[in-house]
Amino acid sequence: MTDLHKPPLELLIAAPRGFCAGVDRAIQIVELAIEKYGAPVYVRHEIVHNKFVVDALREKGAIFVEELDEVPDGVPVVFSAHGVPKAVPTKAAQRGLSYLDATCPLVSKVHRQAERLVAAGRHIVFIGHEGHPEVIGTFGQVPEGSMSLVETVADVETMQPADADNLAFLTQTTLSVDDTAAIVEALQHRFPNIQAPRGEDICYATSNRQAAVKKIAGACDAMLVIGAPNSSNSVRLVEVAVREGTPAVLVQRASDLNFDFLEGVRTLGITAGASAPEVLVRELVDRLSERFDVSEYEVETTRETISFKLPRGLEVAA
């Protein structure tokens, strides 16, 4: 029944949105480790970039630390979904710590490609964001100096590699599909012999969520993206919407929403980054319903059926 006292608001909710298979798996690894070993279980770096998820796991008995040195002897430690430099599991093994690696299998695939390329004598140009845990983890798979980071087309123009005919490129898995395509084009133009990865490094979930935003952005007056400011894939979704000409903001929780942003908005797009749970989408819709007469429509661009195996010893009995 329509509420005559509230202004109407049509919601177009992007699908796919929210959790991807790698995030699902990482959270499950922490939960199962707590079940198996008992609390506390230490986690090096936020398991995924989402405060709600991290706080929920903390309540169950997870302790989040930035460095292995903060983990006491004799307790299990989980490595985050973003991946870690090789030195971290080596150090854990030296200390006799039992560890579980929750690195997303698609990130691990990039790690293996990096090792193979360096073993074949190529210098790697890595497209990514400086300081992001995934970038730090990937650089830590190969000897220092065997990889160079580029973030923009301008970076490509100023590169001075020692051997321009012996390059390969790889990318962070959570980048903007369009921005990365432009950087790859610049690399291939400047270094025609550069070797491309075997497959697309940007993960399926990142690509799918960006495509879903593109699909609905044109029909929306504004967009809300649920995600953390340090979540690369979430920030990219805001950029995709803005590039399509639609004002968009990132919100971590429904309580962060500034209703002034919705002034004059009749059709609102909603999506969630790959580390944001669906419960936050519902929370946001409920908050909007307090002020507006909401009608919601899900716009599905593709269906995701991917799932990843759990590490040995943590398999859930069917």
Side-chain angles (χ1 to χ4, degrees):
M1 202 170 94
T2 53
D3 188 328
L4 301 175
H5 304 293
K6 295 179 185 174
L9 182 67
E10 184 177 77
L11 302 182
L12 298 184
I13 301 180
R17 64 180 175 276
F19 278 1
C20 61
V23 165
D24 253 338
R25 174 180 179 270
I27 293 167
Q28 226 183 331
I29 287 171
V30 178
E31 290 173 338
L32 291 169
I34 294 167
E35 256 175 57
K36 182 173 178 173
Y37 299 107
V41 164
Y42 280 71
V43 184
R44 185 188 176 279
H45 192 70
E46 289 186 346
I47 188 70
V48 296
H49 286 154
N50 186 275
K51 187 179 183 308
F52 179 86
V53 171
V54 167
D55 288 348
L57 290 172
R58 202 177 266 131
E59 278 177 28
K60 292 180 181 178
I63 295 176
F64 293 88
V65 296
E66 280 308 306
E67 295 302 337
L68 210 55
D69 298 344
E70 300 169 65
V71 179
D73 291 338
V75 296
V77 60
V78 179
F79 303 143
S80 84
H82 312 97
V84 294
K86 266 188 179 166
V88 175
T90 302
K91 195 172 169 186
Q94 284 166 353
R95 284 186 50 196
L97 296 175
S98 55
Y99 64 85
L100 291 158
D101 191 352
T103 301
C104 172
L106 299 177
V107 174
S108 298
K109 188 185 93 177
V110 176
H111 288 180
R112 289 194 297 272
Q113 285 188 84
E115 289 177 311
R116 279 196 295 267
L117 289 166
V118 169
R122 288 192 180 261
H123 183 84
I124 299 168
V125 180
F126 192 76
I127 304 168
H129 296 295
E130 189 168 7
H132 189 278
E134 187 186 325
V135 174
I136 294 165
T138 305
F139 267 69
Q141 303 306 308
V142 294
E144 208 172 322
S146 49
M147 231 170 174
S148 303
L149 183 69
V150 295
E151 298 192 72
T152 62
V153 169
D155 290 346
V156 174
E157 301 309 328
T158 56
M159 271 188 76
Q160 297 297 334
D163 184 356
D165 289 328
N166 211 14
L167 299 175
F169 72 86
L170 295 171
T171 83
Q172 187 179 328
T173 61
T174 53
L175 299 177
S176 154
V177 173
D178 293 340
D179 286 347
T180 305
I183 296 168
V184 168
E185 196 178 319
L187 279 171
Q188 290 173 329
H189 178 72
R190 189 153 176 233
F191 308 110
N193 295 328
I194 196 166
Q195 185 178 319
R198 290 179 180 184
E200 177 65 79
D201 283 343
I202 295 177
C203 82
Y204 76 93
T206 297
S207 303
N208 287 350
R209 278 151 194 68
Q210 289 178 24
V213 167
K214 279 185 184 177
K215 173 87 174 175
I216 64 172
C220 299
D221 301 317
M223 274 204 75
L224 296 175
V225 177
I226 301 167
N230 61 340
S231 162
S232 176
N233 79 84
S234 303
V235 174
R236 303 291 82 78
L237 293 175
V238 174
E239 292 171 358
V240 168
V242 170
R243 188 171 283 173
E244 295 292 311
T246 306
V249 291
L250 190 68
V251 291
Q252 296 206 64
R253 298 287 302 264
S255 53
D256 299 335
L257 176 61
N258 179 351
F259 279 101
D260 292 348
F261 177 69
L262 301 180
E263 192 67 46
V265 170
R266 291 297 182 87
T267 303
L268 178 68
I270 293 178
T271 190
S275 41
E278 181 63 16
V279 63
L280 298 186
V281 177
R282 299 324 312 166
E283 179 188 90
L284 182 61
V285 172
D286 289 347
R287 179 129 201 259
L288 290 165
S289 301
E290 291 168 15
R291 296 271 189 109
F292 297 97
D293 180 23
V294 162
S295 51
E296 58 177 290
Y297 305 92
E298 185 173 79
V299 181
E300 186 177 75
T301 48
T302 188
R303 193 158 289 192
E304 293 177 347
T305 54
I306 290 175
S307 64
F308 295 128
K309 280 186 196 155
L310 289 162
R312 258 191 226 104
L314 280 188
E315 300 92 339
V316 186

